[in-house]
Amino acid sequence: MSVSVLVTNCSQLVTMAGPDRPRTCKEMRELGIVHDGAMFLRDGRIAAVGSRAEVELLAEPNTQVVDAGGRVTMPGFVDAHTHLIFAGNRADEFEMRCSGMTYQQIAERGGGIRSTVRKTRAATEEELIAVGQKHAQRFLRGGTTTVETKSGYGLTLDDELKILRAVRAVSRTTPLRCVPTFLGAHEIPDEYKGRPDAYVDLVVEEMLPAVTRESLAKFCDVFCEDKVFNVKQTERVLRAAKKLGLGLRVHADQFTSSSAVELAAALGAKTVDHLEQTTADSIAAMKQAGVQPVLLPGSVYAIGSQKYAPARAMIDAGLPVVIATDFNPGSSPTASMTMVLSLACTQMKMTPAEAVTAATINAAYSLNLGHEVGSLKAGKVADFVIHDAEDYRELAYFFGSHRAHRVFAAGAEV
Ligand code: NIG
Ligand code: FE
């Protein structure tokens, strides 16, 4: 027998109705809001959305009713850039940064990513699954139902596989949908110090084939940055990944501007992420190649920088902007998409509507999931959130304290 659910009494049903593609320019401000709206679900999928008067007629005798109580109902957030799985944390480095050291100075002294790598290598797969499950609960509580999540704290074949297997287990054992990305080229591990090309050999010749043999990743990412991987090394990894059928994402222009964006555009990457230091030419290259920028204001905020990515210039240039948490133990220890909405609005001058678009439908398309999640449309998976708010703008406005009221993944309450 099929299970049906009526979700009703929504002050605003934020449907994100619009074209079946990522939204650009003025479209980013159009949220398809139905006032006093309702939604009818069948077997974990959306069957109808519309006005309360219309949709309530669809209820059957055994339909379960979810009363939103006059609150905003919208798609679950899609967080398109996270590092979900790592051992320990770096509260010690946070204190060092508060006392004046920079993120890069700490990394150069053996801290940073490499410090998390040491702890993650020492953890078992079971321990990492437990960490991932704990982090998954944080995301779900905040109203995030889909995350992209990267490896990158193992940096040996076995440890990278261990992390990606843990991601798969978290995705299977929690309601959080995880899209896995292989980020073996996240940092040069201690044992390859001064020999980055030899490490790239390992990534290309051993790690990538093993990852794809076990179907452990959908995307491949590289941290292209001064003192990490240069553009040439980045190109080697991305070309090898592309050959194996993986989609491409790149960490680029975070601290220094390089030609990584142009490389990503030439290789047909799905996204380039960070972009705090990016130039007008790189924006044009992304536009030309259909690359989506993923902006991570939480990582600018948390490292105490003032230089946010030029979101306005990107939106004005017609780029389908995405925003994400970059959840990780170093530069962005937040799982809160509402905090990211707030930063996007106050620091990057996006409107609340643009920020919502960037955190839902545009993010979904950046993960090749635009046909499944990211909007409330008949046929899609019923991933949605009833927020403690009457108006969607409150999500970005009341910063730092937001909790989702009720969260549903595939029609089931989390
Ligand atoms: O996206 N930039 C590289 N990777 C992460 C930081 C990871 C860490 O500090 O542990 C980022 O900011
Ligand atoms: Fe990142």
Side-chain angles (χ1 to χ4, degrees):
M1 219 184 60
S2 80
V3 177
S4 62
V5 180
L6 172 71
V7 185
T8 191
N9 193 14
C10 310
S11 59
Q12 298 179 332
L13 186 71
V14 180
T15 68
M16 310 304 301
D20 291 329
R21 55 167 171 73
R23 312 291 160 75
T24 58
C25 303
K26 268 192 1 232
E27 293 166 357
M28 287 189 70
R29 299 183 182 209
E30 293 158 11
L31 304 186
I33 295 174
V34 182
H35 295 274
D36 200 18
M39 181 162 63
F40 190 66
L41 320 177
R42 194 179 289 287
D43 296 333
R45 292 208 171 243
I46 299 167
V49 294
S51 72
R52 191 172 168 176
E54 225 162 58
V55 175
E56 283 187 351
L57 295 175
L58 301 173
E60 297 153 357
N62 59 355
T63 295
Q64 181 202 334
V65 178
V66 173
D67 185 346
R71 296 181 179 83
V72 175
T73 301
M74 56 187 270
F77 291 120
V78 177
D79 191 343
H81 183 137
T82 84
H83 305 250
L84 184 76
I85 297 211
F86 52 83
N89 69 51
R90 307 221 296 272
D92 53 344
E93 294 183 3
F94 173 68
E95 185 178 31
M96 288 155 84
R97 289 204 303 275
C98 296
S99 313
M101 265 178 96
T102 67
Y103 178 83
Q104 290 122 298
Q105 284 167 343
I106 293 168
E108 278 159 34
R109 287 172 204 195
I113 295 170
R114 282 178 289 156
S115 121
T116 299
V117 167
R118 289 190 284 273
K119 294 176 202 153
T120 305
R121 284 179 177 177
T124 64
E125 190 172 318
E126 288 64 39
E127 286 166 342
L128 294 181
I129 293 170
V131 168
Q133 288 168 334
K134 187 178 94 182
H135 292 163
Q137 292 312 317
R138 277 194 214 172
F139 280 96
L140 290 164
R141 272 206 302 273
T144 298
T145 47
T146 299
V147 298
E148 181 265 9
T149 185
K150 306 172 195 298
S151 64
Y153 291 115
L155 312 187
T156 66
L157 173 62
D158 287 348
D159 290 305
E160 285 296 301
L161 294 178
K162 176 176 76 178
I163 294 169
L164 290 170
R165 289 184 192 126
V167 170
R168 187 165 59 188
V170 171
S171 200
R172 286 179 181 163
T173 55
T174 73
L176 188 68
R177 183 189 306 271
C178 301
V179 179
T181 293
F182 169 64
L183 178 57
H186 192 197
E187 177 57 286
I188 299 145
D190 293 332
E191 65 277 16
Y192 281 89
K193 197 171 187 313
R195 298 184 297 131
D197 288 308
Y199 181 66
V200 171
D201 290 343
L202 176 71
V203 170
V204 167
E205 289 161 19
E206 292 184 39
M207 293 188 192
L208 268 169
V211 166
T212 49
R213 220 177 293 126
E214 260 189 72
S215 301
L216 284 170
K218 294 252 188 272
F219 291 94
C220 177
D221 191 346
V222 177
F223 184 19
C224 185
E225 184 57 61
D226 191 28
K227 301 200 173 74
V228 192
F229 297 99
N230 64 29
V231 176
K232 237 177 144 167
Q233 291 154 347
T234 301
E235 177 169 4
R236 272 192 71 204
V237 176
L238 294 181
R239 278 196 189 281
K242 187 176 175 178
K243 232 189 226 160
L244 291 167
L246 296 179
L248 308 180
R249 316 178 87 79
V250 193
H251 281 70
D253 289 358
Q254 181 179 11
F255 300 114
T256 53
S257 165
S258 74
S259 58
V261 174
E262 283 72 8
L263 169 70
L267 293 178
K270 197 73 194 173
T271 69
V272 182
D273 305 40
H274 276 289
L275 298 168
E276 287 86 351
Q277 318 294 332
T278 217
T279 62
D281 283 350
S282 296
I283 291 176
M286 283 188 272
K287 172 71 185 151
Q288 175 94 38
V291 178
Q292 289 190 256
V294 179
L295 310 185
L296 310 167
S299 69
V300 180
Y301 169 78
I303 65 171
S305 163
Q306 266 79 48
K307 192 157 178 213
Y308 289 84
R312 275 267 53 94
M314 292 178 187
I315 293 172
D316 295 345
L319 290 179
V321 168
V322 176
I323 55 174
T325 60
D326 193 12
F327 176 69
N328 75 70
S331 66
S332 194
T334 184
S336 169
M337 281 300 278
T338 46
M339 183 67 200
V340 170
L341 292 183
S342 170
L343 292 170
C345 295
T346 61
Q347 306 303 305
M348 302 197 296
K349 302 298 172 210
M350 290 171 69
T351 69
E354 288 168 341
V356 167
T357 300
T360 55
I361 189 71
N362 280 7
Y365 275 105
S366 85
L367 298 175
N368 296 327
L369 287 176
H371 57 294
E372 283 285 89
V373 298
S375 68
L376 303 179
K377 183 185 175 192
K380 282 193 168 185
V381 178
D383 285 2
F384 64 96
V385 180
I386 301 171
H387 285 283
D388 230 334
E390 256 178 75
D391 181 302
Y392 75 89
R393 291 172 297 191
E394 293 171 38
L395 302 189
Y397 165 73
F398 285 113
F399 73 94
S401 60
H402 188 79
R403 283 276 158 90
H405 178 62
R406 296 176 72 177
V407 180
F408 295 76
E413 186 156 13
V414 172

